[in-house]
Each structure stands twice: as C-alpha cells, then as structure tokens.
Amino acid sequence: MIVFDVVLMVTLWVLAVGAVSQADLFKSVVLFVTMGVVVAVAWARLGAADLAMVEVAVGAGITGALFLNTLGHLEQRPGERGEGEDTSHL
Amino acid sequence: MIVVAALVLGSFSAALIRIWRGPSGADRMMGAQLFGSSGAATVLVLAAMLEDWSLIDVALVFASLAAVTVVAFVERTERASMPQ
Amino acid sequence: MRTRHIFEYGVALASLGLGGLVAAGALRRRSLEPAAGDVVQGLLEQSGVSSVVTAVLLNFRAYDTMLEVVVLVVAFWGAWSLHPTEARVHWRPSDPILMRTVGGMLPVLWLLGIYLLWAGTSRPGGEFASGAVLGACGVLTLLIGERVPATQFRPARKVVVVVGVVVFMVAGVAGALSAQGGSEVWSYTAGEARGWILAIEVAGAATIAFVLLGLFSGGREGLDVESGGGEAP
Amino acid sequence: MEGVREALAVGVMVLGALFFVAGSVGMLRFPDVYTRLHALTKADNLGMGLLVFGLSLQAPGWQLVLKLVLIWIFVMIAGAISCHLVAREAYRQGVKPEQGGDL
C-alpha cells in the first residue's frame, strides 16, 4: 500500500510541475486534465468519494473541455478570422 | 490484490511517458484517454482493497465522463479547420 | 526577463517552504484525533440525512455551501458579461459515429446525474457531484452540435441561474420566521430539515449544472438558437 | 467454496491487470499513432472486463454487480469513441502510418 501511495504522490508532483512549466499550451492542458484524474484517484484513496466524484467531473471533464475551448479561441484571434464580427470593444 | 494495484498503477505511469513524449497531439490525447480508463480501474481496485464499495460510484463517474475531453479535443480542431 | 525569473524562483521557493511546513505538520501530529468527526457523528440523527458529508454541507455548515454556489453564480455573470462567443448553431460535427454514440449515451448520463442527487442523502454524491455530471452532459450535448433542452428560453435561464441560491435563502428565512426564542435563526424549521435539504440539493444541482454549461458556452450565443439579440440573464 | 471464489477473483483480476500492462507497453513501443491506439483500446477493454468480472465475484450485492457491468460498458463506449476520433484526427492532421518498419 505504501508503494501505491508513493507512486501516486510522485505522479502527482510530476504532473503538477509539468502542467505549469510547459511552453506548449496544449501539452500543458493535457497534463492538467491528467492531473485532475490523478487527484481524483488520490481522493478515492483517502476515502473521500464525494470529492473524487466532483474532481473527476469538474477537473477532468468540464475544465478540460473549457481549456481546450479557450485554446481554440486563442489560436484563432478575432482579427484573423474576418467574419465581420464586432470586436471594437475588445 | 496488491499485485493488481501495482500493475494498474504501472500502466498509469506509462501513459505519463506517452503524454510527455508526444510526438503528436493525438498521442497526448491517447495518453489522457489511458489515464481515464486506468484511473477507473485503479478506483475499482481501491474499492476492493479498502472494501469501500461507495467508490464504485466514483468509478462510474470516471467511466462515463472519460470521453468528454477527447470529444472536446476533436471538436475544437475540426471547427477551427472548417471554413466559417 | 530577469525579474520574471526571480519571480518564478520566489514562487517555487515559497511553494517548497509551504510544502515543507505541511509535511512537517503531518509527520509530527500523526495521531491527530478526529475531533470534529465525533461531534458530527453524534448530531447526525438531527441532521435529516444519513450521509456525514451531506449533513455538514447542507445542514451544519450550510452557509458555507451557499456562498460557494454564490461564487459560481458570480463567475457565471462575469463570464457572460464579456465578449460574446460565436454561435455554435450552424455547426455540426461531420462524424455520424460521434453523434450517434454520444447521443445514445446522454440519456444514461442524465440518469446517472439524477441518481447521484438521490444518493446524496445516504451515500457519496449530492448536489456538487450531480451538478457537475449534469453540466458535463450539457457540454457533451453542445459538443455534438445539439441544443440543450430548455436553455433557449431566457426566463427559464434566469430562474435556473439563481434558484440554487434562492432556495437556500428561503430555507433560512423560513427557519428564522418559525424560530422560537431567537436562538434558531438561520436554521431549518424543526423536523423539516430533510425536506429542505432535498429542495436545496435539487435547486443547487440545477444551478451548478447550468453555471458550468454557461461557462463552457462562453456567452448566450453559445446556447441560443439564433445568435445575437436579447439580454443576458 | 468461498476460498475457490476468492482465488478465482484474484486470478482473474491479475490477468486483467496484465492486459492493462500489455496495452501500456504497446502504447509505448509501437511505431505510430494507429498501432498504439489499437494496442491501447483493445487491451484496455478486455482488461477492464476481467477486472469487473473479478470484482463482481467479490461484490456484496447484485446492485454493485449491475454498476460494475455499467462501468465496463461505459469504458468500452468511451474507448470506442476516443479511439475512432483520435485516429481520425491523426489522419486528418496528416500523420502517416509507419510502413514496413520492424519493431
């Protein structure tokens, strides 16, 4: 069991440091989503089933979709898109 | 039981290497997908090890939402490449 | 450049220090007694539910939970008052397999969300888990180019966004009005805790799910049938 | 009888975990996206199935067995969708399958 805990902890550290230190934003997002999954497993290991559920649904599910969505908007700036949409208030 | 947990956790870490090395976005997404399924497996094994069967519900949520990120990933790139 | 690195190292050092403190504390007080746990266990009978977590979240420390929902609602308002995103309406994924499989999975996911809500009174689950799962359902629905039922109607949206907070407040006011001697202000009406908790859970899950969906859609155009026009709720 | 069931459960679960490891090794060692996906998805589905079977033998009630089977079905659906989508995405992005190379 202690091996399990240590592996979980080290994975968590690697993912956390990796997620914030990437230059490639997409890689960063994937690492963050993965970290959400590992955090959820850690909560499950600690017996906090409620937290694990919320963590996996929000951290791995919705936040991942949200970040990927944002990334899409960042990659295609309004100016380059040219659909005649009002960007004057930006 | 502990052997099972160790093996599943081992495949967990393998996914990490794939995410790190890439090389393509698809590879990284694949790694995240493996994290999803082996995460559910780990929680299941934990449920048996700790004899805490309420963790089954957690695994249920894991399994049911595993596809969300992948769908979002594909949708994003597809929509970006589509002529508006 | 230089200052940025100094800042990063500073943050790293501070994090390490904090982590060290936490680790030291964890190692020192190994046999920490679960002080609050016993109190909660003792009072569980009065809480109206049999799940410890739900009892704390929605009865003993309900105002905390209410403020969490308020934070979500404020975040939602903030996001929706920014630049509107382009409409998703005319977009459909080109992949029939994706649409059919996800479309077939969605009803089961809805059921799962509602099951978690129901399970919340006796097992892990409850409004946050349920709201998150339902929100993820909505996100998937948008991702396959479908409309989420009822989100096009602006009055319904306005109601759903605030209902989680309003029901909380109604519960508090009802408790205050029926309080005898003034000591029971902002607690549930005697003997009706379970009913109030269920009402709050249902309303809260609806609000949380809608806020998460609204954050994903990024603005009203993400949800509306026709883009533009109208007011944000 | 109890002992036999216990032993069978553990045996099946170890087998399932071995499939997980096989899938991960395949994902690390195979040459391109498509073969990696193939290794990963198939092995994971079977590994999950065996795990679920092993746990069902230990579960204290039919509701739990029902949930476990539901988990398996969800994992298979999610695996199928993800595999298909990721492969299509890689193909659209122009990732070429490796040809004629040896492993």
Side-chain angles (χ1 to χ4, degrees):
Chain A
M1 214 62 202
I2 188 85
V3 179
F4 184 91
D5 293 347
V6 168
V7 172
L8 204 59
M9 202 166 70
V10 171
T11 315
L12 210 51
W13 279 346
V14 171
L15 284 170
V17 173
V20 292
S21 63
Q22 289 305 317
D24 179 0
L25 280 181
F26 177 72
K27 195 172 166 187
S28 188
V29 169
V30 175
L31 285 173
F32 180 83
V33 169
T34 315
M35 197 187 85
V37 174
V38 181
V39 170
V41 173
W43 285 130
R45 166 71 186 89
L46 292 170
D50 302 75
L51 276 175
M53 273 179 213
V54 178
E55 177 63 42
V56 76
V58 174
I62 293 175
T63 321
L66 208 61
F67 277 170
L68 287 172
N69 212 7
T70 313
L71 208 56
H73 285 293
L74 284 178
E75 278 166 6
Q76 36 161 230
R77 305 306 289 252
E80 300 163 18
R81 207 160 39 195
E83 343 171 295
E85 112 179 47
D86 180 25
T87 55
S88 55
H89 56 288
L90 271 176
Chain B
M1 216 47 153
I2 198 101
V3 179
V4 179
L7 289 179
V8 174
L9 212 62
S11 69
F12 222 72
S13 322
L16 188 58
I17 300 174
R18 181 44 75 201
I19 293 176
W20 212 275
R21 290 221 318 238
S24 67
D27 282 299
R28 303 221 159 93
M29 230 40 240
M30 193 196 304
Q33 179 200 338
L34 175 61
F35 256 95
S37 60
S38 62
T42 316
V43 173
L44 283 180
V45 176
L46 272 177
M49 275 170 85
L50 306 173
E51 305 222 334
D52 179 359
W53 295 102
S54 64
L55 289 182
I56 299 282
D57 283 355
V58 180
L60 200 56
V61 178
F62 255 84
S64 61
L65 297 181
V68 175
T69 334
V70 179
V71 176
F73 160 67
V74 172
E75 192 253 19
R76 178 181 72 90
T77 43
E78 185 171 318
R79 223 151 61 95
S81 66
M82 217 179 58
Q84 299 273 335
Chain C
M1 268 312 183
R2 250 347 236 293
T3 45
R4 187 160 160 252
H5 282 298
I6 292 171
F7 177 71
E8 281 171 359
Y9 285 126
V11 169
L13 268 180
S15 312
L16 275 179
L18 194 63
L21 276 178
V22 170
L27 289 177
R28 241 196 29 232
R29 304 299 295 270
R30 188 142 244 206
S31 57
L32 207 62
E33 294 298 319
D38 292 342
V39 178
V40 172
Q41 288 289 356
L43 290 172
L44 199 57
E45 294 246 314
Q46 302 171 24
S47 71
V49 288
S50 54
S51 162
V52 181
V53 177
T54 309
V56 172
L57 279 183
L58 290 179
N59 196 338
F60 305 139
R61 287 288 176 272
Y63 49 85
D64 240 24
T65 312
M66 185 183 95
L67 290 178
E68 275 167 30
V69 180
V70 171
V71 166
L72 276 175
V73 173
V74 171
F76 172 83
W77 274 335
W80 274 40
S81 57
L82 295 176
H83 176 60
T85 51
E86 79 253 51
R88 287 173 175 274
V89 186
H90 301 298
W91 182 84
R92 301 284 284 182
S94 58
D95 196 322
I97 296 179
L98 169 65
M99 282 166 61
R100 288 290 166 82
T101 4
V102 174
M105 249 175 100
L106 277 172
V108 190
L109 287 185
W110 277 94
L111 267 184
L112 176 65
I114 294 165
Y115 160 75
L116 286 177
L117 190 60
W118 169 76
T121 50
S122 59
R123 278 194 297 279
E127 65 170 331
F128 281 97
S130 169
V133 170
L134 291 177
C137 281
V139 169
L140 270 179
T141 315
L142 285 185
L143 282 174
I144 61 169
E146 297 280 350
R147 290 164 198 153
V148 184
T151 49
Q152 278 88 47
F153 305 111
R154 295 204 185 92
R157 280 199 316 224
K158 291 178 189 175
V159 171
V160 170
V161 170
V162 292
V163 73
V165 182
V166 168
V167 173
F168 249 120
M169 293 189 162
V170 170
V173 171
L177 288 181
S178 71
Q180 273 126 40
S183 62
E184 301 273 314
V185 178
W186 294 111
S187 67
Y188 296 119
T189 325
E192 288 175 2
R194 190 185 164 79
W196 278 119
I197 286 177
L198 280 178
I200 289 173
E201 283 214 316
V202 173
T207 296
I208 292 166
F210 185 72
V211 165
L212 292 174
L213 177 64
L215 286 177
F216 177 74
S217 77
R220 56 185 179 276
E221 280 73 16
L223 288 175
D224 272 341
V225 181
E226 68 283 317
S227 58
E231 286 173 292
Chain D
M1 199 56 218
E2 235 359 80
V4 175
R5 202 163 81 156
E6 192 80 3
L8 184 65
V10 172
V12 168
M13 283 174 75
V14 171
L15 200 62
L18 281 176
F19 270 101
F20 265 99
V21 172
S24 306
V25 171
M27 193 186 72
L28 287 180
R29 298 291 301 153
F30 277 165
D32 65 18
V33 178
Y34 309 102
T35 44
R36 281 179 211 143
L37 266 176
H38 174 82
L40 173 67
T41 320
K42 272 73 184 173
D44 268 14
N45 284 350
L46 188 52
M48 198 68 184
L50 289 172
L51 267 186
V52 161
F53 181 55
L55 280 170
S56 305
L57 290 175
Q58 302 175 323
W62 63 269
Q63 297 97 330
L64 281 176
V65 177
L66 206 67
K67 277 186 200 168
L68 284 167
V69 173
L70 201 59
I71 290 173
W72 186 34
I73 293 174
F74 272 148
V75 166
M76 284 200 289
I77 294 177
I81 300 177
S82 315
C83 177
H84 167 72
L85 288 180
V86 171
R88 205 179 53 114
E89 196 53 38
Y91 182 72
R92 272 167 23 88
Q93 284 178 0
V95 180
K96 292 272 185 299
E98 196 89 1
Q99 282 185 343
D102 48 331
L103 293 179

